[in-house]
Amino acid sequence: MRNSKKEQIDNYTAKYSKVCIENGNIGSTLFDEYGVKRGLRDKNGEGVLAGLTNISLIKSQEIVDGKRLPCEGRLLYRGYDIIELVKGFEHSKRYGFEEIAYLLLFGSLPDKGQLDEFKENLSLMCTLPTNFTRDVIMKASSKDIMNSLTKSVLALASYDKQASDLSIENVLRQSMSLISVFPMLSVYGYHAYNHYECDDSFYIHRPDANLSTAENILRMLRPDKKYSELEARVLDIALVLHMEHGGGNNSTFTTRVVTSSGSDTYSVIAAALSSLKGPKHGGANIKVVEMMANIKKNVKDLDDEEAVKDYLARMLNKEVFDKSGLIYGMGHAVYSISDPRATIFKNFVERLAADKKRDEDFKLYSMIERLAPEVIGEKRNIYKGVSANVDFYSGFVYSMLDIPLELYTPIFAMARIVGWSAHRLEELINVDKIIRPAYKTVMTERTYVGIDKR
Ligand SMILES: CC(=O)SCCNC(=O)CCNC(=O)[C@H](O)C(C)(C)COP(=O)(O)OP(=O)(O)OC[C@H]1O[C@@H](n2cnc3c(N)ncnc32)[C@H](O)[C@@H]1OP(=O)(O)O
Ligand SMILES: O=C([O-])CC(=O)C(=O)O
């Protein structure tokens, strides 16, 4: 675009953004007056009840002596505590992603035969249409791999003759197929970006049907296809921890909402991806790592707790870093005292950091984890407590696995697609009603005025 054109458009949008804000503003007292729960949540984190689910349970409060009190967070998949599930496959040195995907999709833990059959079918589906990599993934490559992934998912619909068939059998086939190809779509999307935008070599490694999802991600990513067992196991646990989080989280609720309109699997999952990439949701894992780099660059003495605290306070005042006023990786819509996934992660992170000689970084993460809730507590209205969430340590883990920043949120998506699929199936099986909440109208009616009289 010529400079003068760009300037004209910039001036117009600068001027009219002020008009949007002025005319779009709804007095903040009205929300309380009409009892509108912002974010569809009470101040204690309890959500407005929007549905029923049998897929997972998130616990952040308990009743003690008749009083509802915040408690350590718990997460159960299909009735099993996430801590027990991780221990179960970790102790017997199995990869967990496929087993837990079976649990979430079908509602019970698989026996060995069922697991093998499930894995075999996922492998059969781990293939892209002819020339898809060339015709879709490599075209208009972008640093934003979430957008690239969304584009690929929507494009896959044109190769599926039954794209809009909503039978459970067909939706299950589409869901398993997307679970299977998400790593390929994301990693190849990254390679295309790395080649065309960063001038690096381009290579495509095919997944190996005998390997787990975590191993295949690393195999496809690395030029020499090599990875250590520790690396693959840590990534596998990260995937399991990100797979599912109830019906109300932003991307799963999006899945439910779009499913309820009768839309097809590809469109529903594209919408869920668009939600997940937001920095207040799954996109936080990229932001955490950028934020930590920013702190390291700008705080001279990282052993000086007061200086770190002061910088965090400036972040909350929108003076530094991305000026959003957020400390990323902290806080959660539901959890208060702790997010169990952050706690599990921390144990692995400490070991991995020692192994990768990143103890100094680990020290800084631990310090921020301790200081940030204090600083947020001083500057914001805290009703239920703020603590580190799942994404506080995940980006740090991926950086220690030499996974490029651009793939952090797509890795979240490779895991959460399982939860979205389970919720889409649950919505289709149980609810045949379009989701349509109400918005209280606060406008006043006006008399139309012709253009020459305005
Ligand atoms: C996988 C996931 O999606 S996990 C979440 C990942 N997101 C992040 O890490 C981004 C940073 N965190 C946040 O933005 C928020 O904590 C959210 C969006 C996750 C939850 O926000 P809320 O539901 O508003 O949480 P909560 O009700 O506990 O917040 C209480 C107050 O603390 C503020 N707060 C909460 N977390 C943060 C934070 N990390 N940084 C700054 N302020 C925060 C809220 O804005 C709110 O302030 P206000 O009422 O004065 O406006
Ligand atoms: O539940 C939420 O609001 C956010 C989410 O998806 C998660 O924590 O995994």
Side-chain angles (χ1 to χ4, degrees), residues 117-157:
E117 190 188 14
F118 180 62
K119 287 202 271 194
E120 192 184 325
N121 278 281
L122 281 180
S123 292
L124 290 174
M125 295 181 185
C126 196
T127 164
L128 295 173
T130 310
N131 294 333
F132 189 86
T133 305
R134 186 195 69 191
D135 295 345
V136 178
I137 303 180
M138 286 172 70
K139 292 273 156 67
S141 59
S142 157
K143 181 184 172 65
D144 190 325
I145 309 301
M146 286 298 280
N147 280 355
S148 157
L149 181 55
T150 308
K151 172 186 78 172
S152 293
V153 168
L154 282 175
L156 279 174

Side-chain angles (χ1 to χ4, degrees), residues 41 280-281 284 316 325-327 329-331 381-382 384 389 412:
R41 250 166 309 116
K280 286 186 182 170
H281 192 16
L316 289 181
L326 294 175
I327 299 178
M330 288 290 146
N381 302 312
I382 300 299
K384 68 178 196 324
N389 63 50
F412 194 151

Side-chain angles (χ1 to χ4, degrees), residues 245 249 281 332-333 341 416:
H245 212 250
N249 70 78
H281 192 16
H332 194 275
R341 302 162 300 174
R416 189 55 65 89

